[in-house]
Amino acid sequence: MSAAEGPLVVGVDSSTQSTKALVVDAATGEVVASGQAPHTVSSGAGRESDPREWWDALHEALRQCGDAAREAAAVSIGGQQHGLVTLDEHGEPVRPALLWNDVRSAPQARRLTEELGGAKFWAERTGSVPAASFTVTKWAWLAEHEPDAVRGTKAVRLPHDYLTERLTGEGTTDRGDVSGTGWWASATETYDPEILAHVGLDPALLPRVVRPGEVAGTVRDSHDLPFAKGTLVAPGTGDNAAAALGLGLRPGTPVLSLGTSGTVYAVSKRRPADPTGTVAGFADAHGDWLPLACTLNCTLAVDRLAALLRLDREAVEPTGDLTVLPYLDGERTPNLPNASGLLYGLRHDTTAGQLLQAAYDGAVHALLGALDLVLDADADRAAPLLLIGGGARGTAWQQTVRRLSGRPVQIPEAKELVALGAAAQAAGLLTGEDPAAVARRWNTARGPVLDAVERDDATLARISGVLSDAAPLLERSEPTR
């Protein structure tokens, strides 16, 4: 490990499938140590994880960081959004957490939207229209299907809240992550009493919302992590807000993130409220807003198809007239929670490589379709797309985004941007800086820019046409499994 110029901080990314920890020099942004450990996610109709596995994974990731983690002066945790964590009076999980990509609450999402004034009411009140990913719909599903679990719940948390509370002993959240619950009013930045009453959730069960730049707490005595008692703990935030901090985003810069889910977002000074439900009107982690559109199927869906075809994920060929809608987990954008994957245009001469490229096209089409709604009037629509996430290093992903967007694409060299954003948040506690300014000082967005190519309008139009024609099949009320 090289000698650090400034104090060390720890940034954590507790994602769907693993926890990653970085020890970062707050002065330079140099990553001096890192660690990673996996989680278990259930398969089948639901997507659930035991929150205690997240804690165990955090312990292992920090152990891999060695002595550097023990020297940290501050820590912050970024985590997967929307997950419903229910705790008993001892702070232990009542049941496994319902994760963001668990779509069983789609009926509850539709019912809540109808019962409380329709999509316009929800967009104006919370910034978003409820979808099956949102925490409020998961609570409604739990109340309907597992009332004993609801009765046994003495605290309701998001994934990053759970880990932060185990560090500090205090129930806290932040505006970025809480804005994805569906029970936080974005106009007033408070919990919404009407929505909470409607779903039967006592506000006393919810955590305190910590403001940007505020200390969430300090590391308490009773823990088994390599932090000294009194180490500062930042508010933490949801994964997308953390990645935005990690990039040091300024308003209007578009981001396309390729991970288990795909997202497009940009920081905005304007509070978003899209009644179509395509754009979620999230808050960011430093006082602005983060309008965002998310797809459930991205790298995992394409990799699954590559595995079925026994192809390397880069073994693509031009598609011809083949269309794949890779909605293997249902879909959120477009809002088709019960859909499954669809293949159209198969011929005798279709190759496996063409089929794989069509899956890439289908995944990117969904994201680009929402991009214009995400960007506000101040955005530079010719600026390079910042391409991040696990898929951003893949040539096939890069070329597909370039071809279907017609825009230049920039690939930041920095990896683990969620953990870096959390580290910038922790560093901001020590220096008094805006965490996004810390990330800009670290130059985290530096990376090569791929020139724009002519947009493939024919492929975009073909996919849109197949999606429109297949709507009755994709909108079936019950999933076909």
Side-chain angles (χ1 to χ4, degrees), residues 154 183 202 332 334 423 443:
K154 305 305 177 186
W183 55 57
D202 184 349
R332 171 171 163 178
N443 203 15

Side-chain angles (χ1 to χ4, degrees), residues 34-67:
S34 63
Q36 180 173 348
H39 308 153
T40 301
V41 180
S42 67
S43 58
R47 294 291 186 272
E48 302 180 353
S49 286
D50 184 344
R52 289 166 293 202
E53 282 197 19
W54 306 337
W55 181 258
D56 292 342
L58 177 58
H59 186 281
E60 172 58 21
L62 289 169
R63 185 196 66 76
Q64 294 171 21
C65 293
D67 292 339

Side-chain angles (χ1 to χ4, degrees), residues 132-464:
S133 56
F134 280 58
T135 325
V136 67
T137 71
K138 298 181 188 307
W139 176 260
W141 181 91
L142 196 66
E144 182 174 334
H145 292 274
E146 300 181 20
D148 288 345
V150 166
R151 283 190 288 270
T153 296
K154 305 305 177 186
V156 172
R157 301 290 184 261
L158 296 166
H160 110 262
D161 306 343
Y162 170 78
L163 293 171
T164 300
E165 185 169 0
R166 287 200 63 169
L167 278 175
T168 65
E170 301 176 30
T172 60
T173 191
D174 89 299
R175 72 189 293 271
D177 214 2
V178 77
S179 67
T181 59
W183 55 57
W184 184 79
S186 61
T188 60
E189 301 205 20
T190 58
Y191 289 124
D192 191 299
E194 182 179 358
I195 292 173
L196 291 174
H198 188 78
V199 297
L201 178 53
D202 184 349
L205 303 185
L206 299 175
R208 178 174 68 92
V209 181
V210 178
R211 303 300 301 172
E214 184 183 348
V215 176
T218 58
V219 173
R220 58 178 174 172
D221 276 329
S222 178
H223 69 88
D224 54 356
L225 300 182
F227 297 126
K229 178 186 176 184
T231 300
L232 295 180
V233 181
T237 192
D239 50 7
N240 290 300
L245 286 184
L247 288 165
L249 281 190
R250 298 184 188 276
T253 301
V255 176
L256 197 155
S257 177
L258 302 168
T260 302
S261 65
T263 54
V264 286
Y265 57 83
V267 171
S268 176
K269 293 289 185 182
R270 296 179 173 87
R271 183 176 71 90
D274 175 17
T276 72
T278 301
V279 177
F282 297 147
D284 76 354
H286 70 292
D288 292 325
W289 301 94
L290 197 71
L292 177 149
C294 176
T295 65
L296 296 182
N297 299 276
C298 195
T299 60
L300 201 62
V302 171
D303 285 352
R304 177 58 181 153
L305 193 57
L308 288 172
L309 296 169
R310 299 184 179 179
L311 291 179
D312 181 274
R313 62 169 64 95
E314 297 290 340
V316 295
E317 300 175 39
T319 57
D321 293 329
L322 190 66
T323 298
V324 172
L325 303 179
Y327 304 159
L328 307 190
D329 279 324
E331 191 44 81
R332 171 171 163 178
T333 306
N335 185 24
L336 298 165
N338 296 323
S340 56
L342 185 145
L343 166 63
Y344 179 78
L346 191 65
R347 302 286 186 182
H348 281 290
D349 59 354
T350 300
T351 67
Q354 289 175 326
L355 203 158
L356 182 58
Q357 179 62 67
Y360 278 97
D361 289 350
V364 172
H365 170 272
L367 288 166
L368 294 178
L371 186 60
D372 282 343
L373 291 173
V374 164
L375 297 177
D376 63 23
D378 296 332
D380 179 358
R381 293 171 187 261
L385 281 173
L386 288 177
L387 195 63
I388 67 171
R393 311 284 168 176
T395 301
W397 282 111
Q398 293 172 7
Q399 299 308 320
T400 303
V401 171
R402 290 176 73 201
R403 179 171 52 82
L404 295 185
S405 71
R407 299 176 66 145
V409 171
Q410 183 170 1
I411 319 292
E413 293 172 357
K415 299 178 181 178
E416 309 303 348
L417 285 163
V418 173
L420 269 179
Q425 195 182 52
L429 289 184
L430 303 179
T431 66
E433 294 174 271
D434 175 352
V438 171
R440 289 194 289 272
R441 177 163 56 77
W442 291 350
N443 203 15
T444 53
R446 179 186 63 245
V449 177
L450 308 178
D451 292 337
V453 298
E454 184 178 358
R455 190 171 70 177
D456 184 355
D457 290 321
T459 293
L460 291 170
R462 186 183 70 251
I463 297 172
S464 295

